[in-house]
Amino acid sequence: FRLWWDGVASAKQKLQVHELVGQGCLEFVLGGQVMHDEAVTHVDDQILQLTEGHGFLYETFGIWPQFSWQVDSFGASAMTPTLFALAGFNAHIISRIDYDLKEIMKNDQFVRRGSRSLLAQQEIFTHVLDENGYCSVSPLTFLFLRKGFYWNEKDVFPDPPWDGMDPNKTVPVTLSNVQHYADTLSYNVRRRAPWFLTRYMLWPWGCDRQFFSASVQFANMDHLMSYINKHISQFGVLMVYTTLGEYFQTLYSEHEPVQVRDHCDFLPYSSDMFHSWTGFYASRSGLKGLARRASALLYAGEFMFTRFMLAPHRFLDQAWVLQQLQKLPWAVSEVQHHEAITGTHTPRVSDMFVGCLSNGMHGVQKLMSAIIQDRFPAHTGLEPGGYFAVIYNPLAWTVTTIITLTVDFPEVSVTDESGHPVPAQVQNSKEMPSVYDLLVLTTIPGLSYRYYVIKPSRRAKGDTQETEAMMANTKQFGHRPRRHDSSMGRRLAHVENDCYIVYLDKDTNLMHKDNALFSFPPLQNNQTIQVAQQFMEYEVNSDEDQGPISDNYVFTSNETMKSAWETVGMEIVKGELVTEIRQYFYRTVNDSDPTYTIYSRLAPRPLGSDGELLGHRIEQEYRVGPLELNCEAILRTSTNLITGRILYSDNNGTKMQCRAYKHHENNIAQNYYPMTQSAFIQDRQSRMVLLSEQAHGVSSQGSGQMEVMLHRRLLVKQPWALSVNVMLNDTSVVHSVLWLLLGPSTLTRDLGQRSGVALQHRPIVLLRELSETARIHPRPQHQEAVTLPPSVHLQILSIPGWTYNSNHTKHMQNLRKDNQAEAKAESRRVLLRLRHLYEVDEDPVRSQPVTVNLQSVLRGLGSVVSVEERSLTGTWDVSTLHRWHWPAQEPSHLRGSSSHPSLHPGGFTITIHPKEIRTFFIYFEER
């Protein structure tokens, strides 16, 4: 709609749309840029795409979507009730949930909650569509029997249907056949009636790819409905056109008490016994990674831009700046679509998404470079050669971490903005033999920069004035064949830091199975956690004639798993700063390039609390591919933890769900779940946590095991897939990052949440060459950090550029006067969103409510003059947001309050409770 509105619609058409919206004939439901996927999208990006859409609708029409239509996403997340309630929605519709659960839930409408921490504050009335989903009749019934209620005058597909039958040419309604149509429709309605609590039925008219010829479709609908309504006594049905808002208003007025469903998601989604839609958790893994990196860059760019705009600046043109920034929010929002980030589209469409994301990222990178150049103009104080590096921390916490740069000289000096030497390490590059990896230990305050000069060292022998980065020692272990027996060698190499010891078997180049990885110091009762990792592959069927298949959507294993390699090469790179284990897995003994690569990095724990996240993690990078055809690649991590095959995985990077193993006809696939950011297994004392920078599929197929699906390549032999080229013949090499945490549950509970956010939002590195024509000398400027308590995450800090007045009455007056065209973006209005990371009772310290004075916290950005609390997407003033309170079959004292104490008028202090997300407009004083 937005593309049509901005690029096609005439002034007359826009006026007509305004009239239809004002009359209630046209209603926007959900109102995001897209209908986002709920399984593999991150909460930050879900909110972004809703905010993009809601901002456009409010700015253009002065309306707030109040009902959601989330009917085609492949499963339903527990995060959805929270987000949609905070966005101001009163009711919600879903469809794709597990087939056997949907059968049980006949006659079921309920109030759904996503978090035990928030209760009624974020509950939402939820309606589940029946077995026909969002279609008038079952899509399969229509596809194969051509019995439906859809009319179009002409072909709408670019190519002939694969079976030679056009699905859009149903016979028009005439006097001679209207009785038959009416009988068929009324029978359909009566058959579906048991799904509804009241006598009011929601009957969706249409399906995928319908209403191309709207006038023809409505003419037939009008004729048929008129006939049925003239013969109510015969058919027992009265039909009226309605919007979702009118339907839900009718239900709400009935005051029928409904059930309460707590904290659970509806994942995975299975359409039948043999079709578990768990394959898309890893389909087009490269696009999933690019989408998350683009999102992280966008947030960093918006934070940097906001800080820049609130401070005095030299020459950047605001219009140019907004132009560089505006493409990426659209691209990141667009790729959250349930047929986009899921990887269930054609290669051509994938190329479009990659192109849009890449162009948007290029614009933000140009903006960030321009901001740095504006802050630090050219200066002639340095010799040419080397680099000037600016490291930006997009988190509102002080971060101690190690950044990796590429340099083409092994003897290098690194100095900070004051000219002091910085701890650094040089090592042979893990990717390119002709260059070197430079690792720099840095500590950066919240929303702040650090500046480094990196140049070739020219220190003469005996010169102690210049400090060089230390060169790491690389030890190569050659190739070792895979052993086909269970015996292991006794020659061990070990790598350790302050928290872990890793033992590697020199005879296999693998972690030693009996004492591979310890949590260190030892746990209670001298317990250690033993860990082993290896790459495996599921062989799958892709030919529909041979039985259930795996495709872009579905994972169907034939339960045959094989090792994915025959030989392993290994290097251990030891330095004072970092030790890195490099393992290369070759599919055959004759391969020159590995199919799988894993780089594991251990760093010492720096002094101070800011370094605890660095020392307690093992960072692992993976390179996977190209795969063979019809192959699903996993990384299996096995431990000595007694877990009973119980897994915990996240919903959208927030709430953790307990996943007990289910015994099922399709065991392996049915026990796969989405891991957007984190997953863990645990016993009574200890926990192993995996944190990911992007979405994957995750499962626990055995006690103490966790496996992550990293990549898929399929050649689907199915008529529909072949006709539209949805085959997933993905020959790419995917790059993934996982962080591994092990230790007592009390420790990993605390560190896991913050480490997950730190992985998603790592520091941004901006490099400029030092040359004769553009020599850069950093001039230290005082930056006051923006620092929040460790349990609160600064989710967004941006200047959205909206032109609407935050006072609804004034905004509507401007719309009626058509003043919106002359309105200018408010550059002193900043959108701020805070998220409490912990559930109630999850951690004795971190789970406490946190009180923050926004004026004080944001002092480093400027002088805050006023604060307004807003709805999740910024369009509602929360003091005017009054959501429906549905009667529930639960005592009122168990439901909790439906709202939290809002910001006191004129105040700046807020208290944010466990799992709350709070959104504000912050107004700064003009400088």
Side-chain angles (χ1 to χ4, degrees):
F1 176 85
R2 196 170 172 183
L3 287 167
W4 174 81
W5 184 265
D6 290 338
V8 178
S10 66
K12 180 180 179 181
Q13 288 172 321
K14 290 185 177 182
L15 181 61
Q16 290 173 326
V17 171
H18 274 283
E19 290 173 351
L20 291 171
V21 171
Q23 294 164 3
C25 298
L26 176 61
E27 180 180 68
F28 288 92
V29 293
L30 186 60
Q33 285 284 95
V34 296
M35 185 191 296
H36 64 256
D37 172 67
E38 295 190 36
V40 296
T41 47
H42 196 277
V43 62
D44 292 356
D45 303 325
Q46 292 182 351
I47 296 173
L48 170 69
Q49 76 89 17
L50 283 172
T51 302
E52 281 285 300
H54 287 193
F56 165 77
L57 291 174
Y58 187 66
E59 192 167 76
T60 307
F61 302 106
I63 59 171
W64 304 288
Q66 296 181 54
F67 308 97
S68 58
W69 175 254
Q70 195 75 6
V71 297
D72 204 25
S73 53
F74 316 135
S77 164
M79 192 62 203
T80 300
T82 299
L83 295 188
F84 287 0
L86 294 176
F89 292 174
N90 287 312
H92 174 48
I93 289 186
I94 61 176
S95 180
R96 292 189 185 270
I97 63 173
D98 215 59
Y99 71 99
D100 49 1
L101 181 60
K102 178 172 272 199
E103 182 64 28
I104 294 170
M105 290 171 60
K106 267 189 177 180
N107 205 24
D108 208 1
Q109 294 170 325
F110 49 87
V111 166
R112 186 164 169 237
R113 296 188 190 131
S115 170
R116 58 190 173 86
S117 302
L118 299 172
L119 298 178
Q121 182 182 325
Q122 45 78 67
E123 69 185 19
I124 192 166
F125 178 83
T126 302
H127 172 99
V128 183
L129 294 177
D130 61 32
E131 71 266 24
N132 291 333
Y134 49 82
C135 298
S136 309
V137 296
S138 162
L140 291 178
T141 299
F142 182 67
L143 183 63
F144 293 110
L145 302 181
R146 296 300 189 265
K147 291 183 178 179
F149 308 98
Y150 318 132
W151 299 273
N152 283 292
E153 285 185 315
K154 58 184 179 181
D155 294 348
V156 295
F157 296 103
D159 301 308
W162 59 268
D163 61 356
M165 300 179 68
D166 193 321
N168 292 285
K169 288 189 175 177
T170 308
V171 177
V173 179
T174 63
L175 288 175
S176 62
N177 64 20
V178 67
Q179 177 70 38
H180 170 73
Y181 269 118
D183 288 339
T184 304
L185 193 152
S186 60
Y187 171 77
N188 180 290
V189 169
R190 288 193 300 274
R191 186 174 59 81
R192 296 163 82 159
W195 286 77
F196 295 83
L197 286 175
T198 71
R199 61 197 179 102
Y200 301 103
M201 271 186 61
L202 176 66
W203 198 79
W205 203 324
C207 198
D208 277 344
R209 304 178 180 91
Q210 300 303 326
F211 287 84
F212 285 91
S213 300
S215 57
V216 175
Q217 177 74 21
F218 275 107
N220 285 274
M221 292 164 68
D222 289 346
H223 192 171
L224 180 53
M225 287 175 61
S226 175
Y227 185 83
I228 289 174
N229 290 342
K230 287 177 181 176
H231 302 84
I232 294 176
S233 60
Q234 176 185 348
F235 299 111
V237 173
L238 174 68
M239 298 186 73
V240 295
Y241 290 119
T242 189
T243 63
L244 276 191
E246 291 170 331
Y247 170 70
F248 281 125
Q249 180 67 64
T250 302
L251 286 189
Y252 186 62
S253 65
E254 293 284 297
H255 291 288
E256 188 76 30
V258 294
Q259 298 179 25
V260 175
R261 284 185 173 262
D262 273 339
H263 328 318
C264 64
D265 63 7
F266 298 117
L267 292 165
Y269 161 59
S270 296
S271 50
D272 59 51
M273 185 182 299
F274 297 106
H275 290 83
S276 296
W277 293 45
T278 56
F280 76 89
Y281 301 159
S283 295
R284 301 202 184 280
S285 182
L287 178 64
K288 288 175 169 65
L290 178 64
R292 285 302 302 139
R293 290 190 293 275
S295 173
L297 179 68
L298 171 63
Y299 285 103
E302 288 189 321
F303 290 179
M304 183 185 284
F305 168 63
T306 300
R307 181 158 207 163
F308 175 78
M309 289 299 295
L310 294 174
H313 48 275
R314 293 179 178 84
F315 61 82
L316 283 188
D317 176 63
Q318 185 173 345
W320 178 87
V321 167
L322 289 173
Q323 186 181 23
Q324 303 310 309
L325 199 57
Q326 67 186 2
K327 292 180 182 178
L328 193 52
W330 184 300
V332 172
S333 296
E334 182 180 55
V335 82
Q336 307 311 313
H337 190 282
H338 62 278
E339 297 276 12
I341 198 167
T342 51
T344 55
H345 48 267
T346 69
R348 184 177 175 184
V349 174
S350 184
D351 292 342
M352 180 197 73
F353 288 131
V354 169
C356 291
L357 288 168
S358 300
N359 289 337
M361 292 172 75
H362 179 66
V364 171
Q365 287 163 343
K366 280 174 60 179
L367 167 62
M368 297 174 84
S369 296
I371 289 173
I372 296 303
Q373 186 175 357
D374 183 84
R375 291 175 63 89
F376 304 102
H379 188 69
T380 57
L382 288 173
E383 297 178 5
Y387 304 94
F388 171 61
V390 178
I391 318 297
Y392 178 69
N393 172 21
L395 292 173
W397 308 320
T398 297
V399 168
T400 296
T401 191
I402 292 171
I403 58 152
T404 302
L405 308 171
T406 300
V407 295
D408 51 11
F409 35 85
E411 296 174 336
V412 56
S413 72
V414 183
T415 55
D416 63 16
E417 55 263 37
S418 301
H420 299 137
V422 175
Q425 173 179 318
V426 179
Q427 59 193 40
N428 295 327
S429 172
K430 59 179 180 283
E431 299 286 351
M432 296 175 287
S434 59
V435 296
Y436 301 89
D437 291 340
L438 173 64
L439 284 63
V440 180
L441 179 64
T442 182
T443 297
I444 317 172
L447 302 193
S448 298
Y449 309 85
R450 291 299 305 270
Y451 318 100
Y452 301 106
V453 172
I454 300 160
K455 58 182 182 178
S457 174
R458 292 176 172 80
R459 186 180 69 178
K461 284 188 176 181
D463 181 5
T464 59
Q465 296 300 311
E466 188 174 37
T467 303
E468 283 186 1
M470 297 300 295
M471 187 70 182
N473 176 54
T474 301
K475 186 173 182 180
Q476 297 184 341
F477 292 83
H479 288 207
R480 300 288 184 267
R482 179 166 63 88
R483 288 177 175 263
H484 295 274
D485 55 34
S486 59
S487 63
M488 291 286 183
R490 297 180 179 178
R491 299 185 308 128
L492 301 179
H494 82 275
V495 171
E496 66 180 86
N497 69 356
D498 303 314
C499 299
Y500 305 112
I501 304 175
V502 180
Y503 286 95
L504 297 140
D505 189 330
K506 295 181 182 180
D507 293 327
T508 63
N509 286 343
L510 300 174
M511 289 185 181
H512 193 275
K513 69 167 187 173
D514 293 325
N515 52 359
L517 185 65
F518 291 82
S519 178
F520 181 83
L523 304 174
Q524 297 175 16
N525 303 321
N526 292 319
Q527 179 194 9
T528 58
I529 303 175
Q530 299 167 4
V531 178
Q533 292 181 308
Q534 61 175 318
F535 291 106
M536 308 287 286
E537 292 176 350
Y538 284 111
E539 294 180 331
V540 295
N541 172 44
S542 65
D543 187 348
E544 196 173 44
D545 293 336
Q546 304 299 316
I549 65 170
S550 272
D551 61 20
N552 297 48
Y553 304 86
V554 173
F555 170 41
T556 307
S557 168
N558 59 12
E559 304 204 6
T560 301
M561 178 181 282
K562 64 177 182 179
S563 292
W565 46 274
E566 284 297 327
T567 65
V568 186
M570 183 172 70
E571 300 173 346
I572 296 179
V573 183
K574 281 191 176 183
E576 294 187 358
L577 203 58
V578 165
T579 299
E580 189 169 83
I581 306 163
R582 302 173 178 177
Q583 294 166 296
Y584 306 94
F585 296 79
Y586 297 85
R587 185 174 295 280
T588 71
V589 294
N590 296 319
D591 283 357
S592 56
D593 296 318
T595 302
Y596 297 89
T597 303
I598 179 170
Y599 306 117
S600 302
R601 180 182 290 179
L602 284 79
R605 176 181 173 180
L607 297 176
S609 59
D610 298 328
E612 64 180 345
L613 299 185
L614 177 62
H616 276 103
R617 68 184 182 238
I618 298 175
E619 300 180 11
Q620 296 189 311
E621 292 183 47
Y622 302 89
R623 306 289 184 267
V624 180
L627 299 179
E628 294 184 328
L629 276 173
N630 300 323
C631 172
E632 320 250 4
I634 69 162
L635 174 76
R636 174 171 287 177
T637 304
S638 303
T639 74
N640 62 335
L641 299 179
I642 309 301
T643 65
R645 294 196 285 190
I646 295 176
L647 170 75
Y648 296 81
S649 69
D650 67 317
N651 277 160
N652 315 113
T654 55
K655 176 180 169 48
M656 302 303 294
Q657 295 280 348
C658 178
R659 316 292 196 181
Y661 190 85
K662 296 177 295 188
H663 294 278
H664 195 276
E665 194 75 27
N666 191 10
N667 262 349
I668 294 176
Q670 269 280 345
N671 285 286
Y672 256 84
Y673 298 91
M675 176 180 72
T676 308
Q677 180 175 293
S678 61
F680 65 84
I681 55 176
Q682 64 181 8
D683 60 16
R684 292 183 177 181
Q685 293 182 328
S686 309
R687 178 180 290 186
M688 182 184 77
V689 182
L690 284 181
L691 302 171
S692 175
E693 71 166 351
Q694 68 172 76
H696 297 289
V698 65
S699 183
S700 180
Q701 298 289 337
S703 182
Q705 287 184 354
M706 184 156 39
E707 63 186 50
V708 178
M709 188 175 289
L710 298 171
H711 197 8
R712 315 176 76 215
R713 184 185 177 194
L714 307 170
L715 188 61
V716 181
K717 294 180 180 178
Q718 182 188 49
W720 172 82
L722 291 168
S723 70
V724 295
N725 194 25
V726 182
M727 289 179 291
L728 202 64
N729 188 11
D730 186 349
T731 59
S732 65
V733 177
V734 299
H735 297 203
S736 297
V737 175
L738 294 176
W739 287 359
L740 178 65
L741 279 67
L742 300 114
S745 297
T746 52
L747 177 67
T748 53
R749 240 189 347 246
D750 172 21
L751 300 181
Q753 294 283 7
R754 290 183 288 144
S755 295
V757 174
L759 174 55
Q760 298 292 323
H761 300 282
R762 287 172 285 178
I764 302 294
V765 180
L766 300 167
L767 283 178
R768 294 195 65 191
E769 289 190 9
L770 300 176
S771 66
E772 291 285 358
T773 56
R775 301 173 192 163
I776 305 298
H777 180 64
R779 299 175 180 177
Q781 298 183 12
H782 175 69
Q783 295 178 96
E784 190 165 349
V786 176
T787 305
L788 286 169
S791 54
V792 177
H793 169 45
L794 177 61
Q795 195 172 44
I796 191 65
L797 182 77
S798 72
I799 300 175
W802 293 322
T803 60
Y804 63 76
N805 194 306
S806 61
N807 181 293
H808 181 64
T809 302
K810 292 181 179 178
H811 175 53
M812 296 306 294
Q813 290 173 349
N814 289 336
L815 281 178
R816 284 191 288 270
K817 295 176 183 176
D818 199 22
N819 288 343
Q820 207 61 21
E822 296 121 32
K824 293 183 178 180
E826 175 56 76
S827 62
R828 294 282 144 181
R829 178 173 62 190
V830 172
L831 179 68
L832 171 79
R833 189 176 297 115
L834 302 177
R835 174 160 66 94
H836 198 299
L837 296 176
Y838 293 83
E839 290 274 13
V840 66
D841 299 330
E842 181 179 355
D843 183 271
V845 176
R846 306 299 185 200
S847 293
Q848 298 302 312
V850 177
T851 299
V852 175
N853 184 294
L854 296 175
Q855 190 177 49
S856 176
V857 166
L858 301 174
R859 185 174 57 243
L861 303 180
S863 178
V864 176
V865 294
S866 65
V867 177
E868 297 174 5
E869 182 155 14
R870 310 292 292 186
S871 62
L872 180 74
T873 58
T875 53
W876 290 84
D877 179 339
V878 293
S879 65
T880 66
L881 177 56
H882 304 293
R883 296 177 59 243
W884 296 351
H885 192 69
W886 292 81
Q889 298 169 1
E890 179 183 81
S892 58
H893 71 275
L894 295 178
R895 298 184 75 182
S897 172
S898 60
S899 63
H900 54 67
S902 189
L903 182 71
H904 190 274
F908 300 99
T909 300
I910 63 162
T911 298
I912 182 166
H913 294 265
K915 282 299 175 185
E916 275 191 337
I917 301 175
R918 304 278 291 275
T919 305
F920 304 90
F921 281 162
I922 311 293
Y923 294 89
F924 287 86
E925 186 178 273
E926 189 127 16
R927 295 192 195 181

